[in-house]
Amino acid sequence: MANRFMERAIALAVANVRNGGGGPFASVVARDGEIVAEGVNQVVSTLDPTAHAEVVAIREACRRLGHYQLTGCVLYTSCEPCPMCLGAIYWARPDRVYYGATRQDAAGSGFDDAFIYDEAAQALDQRRIPMEGLMRQEALAAFREWDALPEKFRY
């Protein structure tokens, strides 16, 4: 059954390229042997750098399932997830992820995200994009409000 969902993800990725919709990436979220949601890369078409196939599919699956986690689901993606998508996958908590092409394959076609993995390992003051804390004490007010809630969602 896994092959059927991966075949669908690959077909969507190929169609996305042929239709001029975006990059060669697509994802399928399945649960109980059925497709819950599909997503293709829409970065250029929507002018949204977060509109990667996995993120699009996760958003749609969560909307359809009425929950912010994908417990009981499996994600199939045409290519090994980038760092952003990997983070989204861990937050969504599917049971498993299958991928087709590797990140090295993607790099060979100009989709190289190795620099992001490298940047994440750097100290904040060593990153290419400067990152500096600002108004921490004031920002902690939101966490104090959260901590005071008697009932809250656990992420």
Side-chain angles (χ1 to χ4, degrees):
M1 187 173 317
N3 286 359
R4 174 171 64 104
F5 297 125
M6 182 57 78
E7 287 169 355
R8 177 66 181 157
I10 293 167
L12 287 168
V14 171
N16 200 44
V17 172
R18 289 181 180 163
N19 297 334
F25 307 100
S27 292
V28 170
V29 176
R31 184 171 77 174
D32 299 328
E34 299 292 328
I35 292 176
V36 175
E38 300 175 337
V40 296
N41 180 282
Q42 300 174 5
V43 170
V44 175
S45 64
T46 63
L47 304 177
D48 179 354
T50 69
H52 287 203
E54 296 91 337
V55 172
V56 171
I58 288 168
R59 287 175 180 162
E60 181 62 17
C62 288
R63 187 189 66 75
R64 287 185 179 173
L65 295 173
H67 203 276
Y68 60 91
Q69 292 182 346
L70 298 178
T71 306
C73 295
V74 178
L75 188 136
Y76 300 83
T77 184
S78 62
C79 187
E80 183 178 351
C82 75
M84 177 184 70
C85 293
L86 188 61
I89 289 165
Y90 273 94
W91 282 114
R93 294 179 177 88
D95 291 357
R96 178 179 292 268
V97 175
Y98 291 100
Y99 64 89
T102 67
R103 60 179 151 167
Q104 292 81 11
D105 298 326
S109 289
F111 298 94
D112 192 354
D113 53 16
F115 77 96
I116 299 172
Y117 287 101
D118 294 342
E119 283 288 299
Q122 295 290 328
L124 291 175
D125 64 348
Q126 299 298 309
R127 292 183 179 170
R128 293 181 196 177
I129 298 175
M131 296 189 184
E132 181 178 338
L134 184 63
M135 297 181 64
R136 178 174 177 253
Q137 291 306 312
E138 293 83 353
L140 289 173
F143 289 101
R144 286 190 294 275
E145 291 286 330
W146 174 260
D147 292 340
L149 288 176
E151 295 181 32
K152 52 189 142 223
F153 293 103
R154 290 288 172 199
Y155 289 90

